Amino acid sequence: MTTATFDMPVGAQKPSSTAGIAVALLLPIALVNAIGFILPVFNLARMSFNEALPGGGIAEAFTAANWTGLLQDSFYIELILNSIMVSLGITFATLLASYPIALYLHRASGAWRTFLTVLVISPLLTSAVVRTYGWIALLAEQGPVANVIAAMGFQPPRMMFNTTGVVIGLTEILMPYMILSLMAGFGRLDPKVEEAARTLGATPFRTFWRVILPLTLPGIALGCLLCFVLAISSFITLKLMGGGRVFLLATEIYDQAIVTLNWPLAATLSMLVLIIFGAALAVYSRVLRMIEG
């Protein structure tokens, strides 16, 4: 009785060898993430349970006083809710301003599309600080926008050092991110489907509402997630255009860490921002499953 033997094909590798190569390839990026992200986050989480001493000192302890005080203080509860609502408003405004541009770019072709894409990306090549100062000059009380509104016979509203200015500035700054995210999610949008809907008698609005919008929902979800995360963590534009009068999580973290030197409370607020990021990602995953399901 003979026993059959099977030789592996030439060039084939054993599963264990393949797994070893995969681990070796992933190890460098895993180490970089561990050193540059995971360890600092753990250190931040540990610091949130320390005790702040007068004069900026930190007592090595393990107390939940920072968390309980944060959740029991009406000022911080209002700060958290206000930060979420303002960030959602900025995200919605960015979506409304970016969607038509992204849809037009998706339908464009050739050199014209390349030129428009470069125009969309070009603001990212300029510092956010420079762009913010540009908006400060435009929205000032005697700026061009106020002068145009006054020339039309209306009383110019106050657009600087308040929430309105912050929303306007961050909406423009986040538009390139939203447009690129929308275009990345427009892959399922087939012009033939639109033509079929129009052939069957659908009006342009009905075609958009029943065909175009549902097919572009993945891009909308991705853009909203990205812009919400960037909006709630933005600091430079908020600090400059808010003028110290708009209090959100980013500015409070800065004040606690730099002004009052209360690093444990600043760490607690920072961890809270990470929790909000995780909640936003969970909502995005849930919405994406609903869209694809």
Side-chain angles (χ1 to χ4, degrees):
M1 183 174 181
T2 60
T3 302
T5 59
F6 299 92
D7 296 330
M8 294 183 64
V10 178
Q13 296 178 336
K14 296 181 179 180
S16 59
S17 178
T18 305
I21 294 175
V23 171
L25 292 174
L26 292 175
L27 186 59
I29 188 63
L31 290 175
V32 170
N33 282 327
I35 297 173
F37 179 74
I38 297 177
L39 289 180
V41 169
F42 274 111
N43 182 48
L44 200 64
R46 177 63 185 89
M47 186 177 294
S48 68
F49 291 97
N50 288 337
E51 182 181 353
L53 300 177
I58 300 175
E60 292 290 340
F62 194 85
T63 174
N66 294 318
W67 289 95
T68 56
L70 184 69
L71 298 177
Q72 293 175 358
D73 194 329
S74 60
F75 169 77
Y76 287 110
I77 294 177
E78 183 179 354
L79 180 73
I80 295 168
L81 295 177
N82 192 36
S83 299
I84 294 175
M85 295 306 298
V86 171
S87 299
L88 288 175
I90 293 171
T91 302
F92 183 69
T94 307
L95 175 63
L96 290 181
S98 303
Y99 192 93
I101 300 174
L103 189 60
Y104 183 81
L105 278 175
H106 177 76
R107 293 175 173 175
S109 59
W112 179 241
R113 179 176 182 175
T114 303
F115 173 72
L116 293 177
T117 304
V118 171
L119 288 182
V120 168
I121 299 175
S122 58
L124 299 177
L125 305 178
T126 306
S127 171
V129 177
V130 176
R131 295 161 67 186
T132 300
Y133 275 114
W135 276 110
I136 292 176
L138 288 174
L139 301 180
E141 292 185 3
Q142 301 299 326
V145 176
N147 291 335
V148 170
I149 296 176
M152 296 173 61
F154 300 99
Q155 177 67 28
R158 186 176 180 84
M159 295 175 288
M160 276 301 303
F161 307 131
N162 53 21
T163 305
T164 301
V166 172
V167 171
I168 293 174
L170 280 177
T171 296
E172 187 275 332
I173 288 175
L174 297 181
M175 279 183 63
Y177 300 99
M178 176 66 81
I179 293 173
L180 294 177
S181 299
L182 290 173
M183 292 181 63
F186 280 5
R188 298 195 303 177
L189 186 58
D190 190 350
K192 295 181 180 179
V193 179
E194 301 178 48
E195 295 175 2
R198 298 296 297 273
T199 302
L200 294 174
T203 62
F205 176 78
R206 191 171 182 83
T207 301
F208 171 79
W209 186 255
R210 299 295 298 273
V211 178
I212 298 176
L213 186 61
L215 291 176
T216 57
L217 284 178
I220 294 175
L222 177 61
C224 289
L225 171 68
L226 181 60
C227 287
F228 175 79
V229 169
L230 292 175
I232 202 170
S233 60
S234 178
F235 172 73
I236 296 297
T237 303
L238 175 62
K239 192 70 174 180
L240 293 177
M241 300 195 71
R245 302 176 183 177
V246 180
F247 300 99
L248 299 179
L249 279 172
T251 56
E252 185 64 19
I253 293 172
Y254 174 84
D255 290 339
Q256 293 296 334
I258 305 301
V259 180
T260 62
L261 300 179
N262 191 341
W263 278 84
L265 182 55
T268 306
L269 292 171
S270 300
M271 293 304 301
L272 184 61
V273 173
L274 286 179
I275 293 173
I276 294 174
F277 288 171
L281 186 60
V283 171
Y284 166 75
S285 300
R286 177 64 177 173
V287 171
L288 202 58
R289 287 197 297 268
M290 293 175 59
I291 293 173
E292 296 178 349

